[in-house]
Amino acid sequence: MPLFGKSFSPKKTPPRKWASLSNLHLLDRSTREVELGLEYGTPSMNLAGQSLKFENGQWVSESGSFMGDRRELLRLRKRNQQLEEENNLLRLKVDILLDMLSETTAESHLMEKELEELKLHSRRRK
């Protein structure tokens, strides 16, 4: 014989209210800071010896500029300049090749037209 009767069925719990029961959301920011000591400040972090802080949606160096390895920075600038020059040269080559292709295509179409005209002319003679 079961201990709790035929079947065990607990009562359903009522749905929870979506609103918070805390009254902290009713306080404005200055009151919360005074009452609870919520002084947040700006987020900051330290990466590879460089201090960064989060301002206006971007991470900014606290010293104002990048103070990394000077040699590495110069090497990267030189490499960037080389790549830009190479990119410009390649663009020039592509433009020249496209010009050559369009010229060759135009000549080919002219030759095909002349060939068709010669075929028609030779057929008429026969």
Side-chain angles (χ1 to χ4, degrees):
M1 184 160 176
L3 186 60
F4 296 108
K6 293 184 178 180
S7 65
F8 178 73
S9 67
K11 292 182 180 179
K12 286 190 173 183
T13 57
R16 294 183 180 200
K17 295 180 182 178
W18 65 272
S20 172
L21 298 177
S22 170
N23 64 354
L24 292 178
H25 68 280
L26 299 175
L27 300 174
D28 62 20
R29 181 177 176 173
S30 60
T31 308
R32 278 186 286 190
E33 287 178 3
V34 171
E35 293 291 324
L36 304 172
L38 300 176
E39 186 65 36
Y40 293 113
T42 59
S44 62
M45 68 177 165
N46 189 2
L47 290 176
Q50 183 69 29
S51 290
L52 302 169
K53 60 183 176 180
F54 194 74
E55 289 182 351
N56 300 325
Q58 292 186 355
W59 287 99
V60 180
S61 174
E62 287 187 356
S63 62
S65 66
F66 177 72
M67 297 300 290
D69 188 18
R70 288 266 185 214
R71 285 179 280 152
E72 181 70 13
L73 186 60
L74 291 174
R75 187 188 67 78
L76 289 174
R77 283 185 180 162
K78 185 177 178 182
R79 179 70 176 143
N80 188 27
Q81 181 68 27
Q82 288 173 345
L83 290 174
E84 284 178 359
E85 289 173 3
E86 183 181 350
N87 194 17
N88 289 337
L89 178 65
L90 291 173
R91 284 182 182 166
L92 180 64
K93 286 182 178 182
V94 166
D95 286 341
I96 291 171
L97 286 172
L98 285 173
D99 289 344
M100 291 171 62
L101 178 65
S102 60
E103 183 180 344
T104 305
T105 304
E107 288 176 359
S108 172
H109 285 298
L110 284 175
M111 287 182 181
E112 286 176 2
K113 267 188 175 179
E114 287 179 13
L115 184 62
E116 289 296 321
E117 288 176 5
L118 287 173
K119 283 182 182 178
L120 283 174
H121 187 65
S122 68
R123 286 183 189 159
R124 288 182 188 163
R125 282 187 155 182
K126 291 182 182 180

